[in-house]
Amino acid sequence: MEKAIVIGCPGSGKSTFSRRLSKATGLPLFYLDMLYHKPDRTTYSREEFDEKLAHVMEQGRWIIDGNYERTLADRLQACDTVFWFDLPVEVCLKGIEARRGKPREDMPWIETEPDGEFMAFVKSFKTDYAPKMACLLEAAEGKEIHVFTSREMADAYLEELEG
């Protein structure tokens, strides 16, 4: 594993997993949310985001955490390993609630209250976005793909890796 992507519903545990994976493998970790969002809650332009992402992907080794559907095909083509968090929506919603009000290294601000648009996205993720991800993964050749349907599965993978 030299280039890995970690995808799945927000709140599923992607970033927590990515941090542990980075520590266990020594691969540098990059969060798409940090490439896209500014601390003042605005976003970088599409061109700025694409340039920053291209710079990351040019590196020889990395873990990229996040979905960003528009760039998923390119990241999938460039990676050798995929970790897909395919957890129940209820688990993801609880994960979002648990992190609210806490500083996070994967987001440039502290989420202090529910965001209706974001919560609607999370609730529709499994029906509206996961099937598109599944199609891209089915078409991917030569990739090592790990699908976690629970956080326990992800933990077990990491525990085996950490030895």
Side-chain angles (χ1 to χ4, degrees), residues 130-143:
K132 297 172 190 174
M133 296 170 101
C135 286
L136 287 172
L137 291 177
E138 285 177 23
E141 295 181 12
K143 310 298 177 184

Side-chain angles (χ1 to χ4, degrees), residues 96-154:
I96 291 166
E97 182 63 35
R99 71 186 187 199
R100 193 169 292 127
K102 298 175 183 171
R104 300 166 34 207
E105 70 180 60
D106 57 306
M107 184 62 80
W109 65 76
I110 297 174
E111 297 170 308
T112 56
E113 54 191 55
D115 174 332
E117 185 178 328
F118 178 65
M119 297 307 280
F121 171 78
V122 171
K123 289 175 183 176
S124 69
F125 189 88
K126 211 153 181 65
T127 56
D128 294 352
Y129 298 94
K132 297 172 190 174
M133 296 170 101
C135 286
L136 287 172
L137 291 177
E138 285 177 23
E141 295 181 12
K143 310 298 177 184
E144 185 174 330
I145 300 174
H146 302 271
V147 179
F148 301 132
T149 56
S150 71
R151 290 191 182 135
E152 292 77 16
M153 286 178 72

Side-chain angles (χ1 to χ4, degrees), residues 2-154:
E2 296 292 318
K3 297 178 179 180
I5 61 173
V6 183
I7 58 176
C9 187
S12 62
K14 296 184 308 293
S15 298
T16 300
F17 174 86
S18 295
R19 282 189 289 281
R20 282 184 63 193
L21 183 65
S22 176
K23 185 175 180 182
T25 61
L27 294 171
L29 172 57
F30 301 92
Y31 301 104
L32 292 181
D33 281 339
M34 294 298 285
L35 299 179
Y36 184 68
H37 295 286
K38 297 179 182 180
D40 66 359
R41 297 182 185 243
T42 61
T43 59
Y44 291 98
S45 70
R46 180 180 182 142
E47 294 77 22
E48 290 171 305
F49 172 77
D50 289 351
E51 185 177 306
K52 292 193 303 183
L53 179 57
H55 177 72
V56 167
M57 291 174 56
E58 288 168 2
Q59 298 179 33
R61 305 173 74 232
W62 39 256
I63 298 167
I64 300 176
D65 170 309
N67 295 313
Y68 291 73
E69 182 183 350
R70 182 178 66 79
T71 65
L72 181 56
D74 291 339
R75 286 179 285 121
L76 186 56
Q77 184 176 354
C79 77
D80 54 51
T81 308
V82 178
F83 297 96
W84 182 12
F85 279 71
D86 189 19
L87 277 65
V89 172
E90 298 77 24
V91 172
C92 299
L93 291 171
K94 286 179 184 175
I96 291 166
E97 182 63 35
R99 71 186 187 199
R100 193 169 292 127
K102 298 175 183 171
R104 300 166 34 207
E105 70 180 60
D106 57 306
M107 184 62 80
W109 65 76
I110 297 174
E111 297 170 308
T112 56
E113 54 191 55
D115 174 332
E117 185 178 328
F118 178 65
M119 297 307 280
F121 171 78
V122 171
K123 289 175 183 176
S124 69
F125 189 88
K126 211 153 181 65
T127 56
D128 294 352
Y129 298 94
K132 297 172 190 174
M133 296 170 101
C135 286
L136 287 172
L137 291 177
E138 285 177 23
E141 295 181 12
K143 310 298 177 184
E144 185 174 330
I145 300 174
H146 302 271
V147 179
F148 301 132
T149 56
S150 71
R151 290 191 182 135
E152 292 77 16
M153 286 178 72

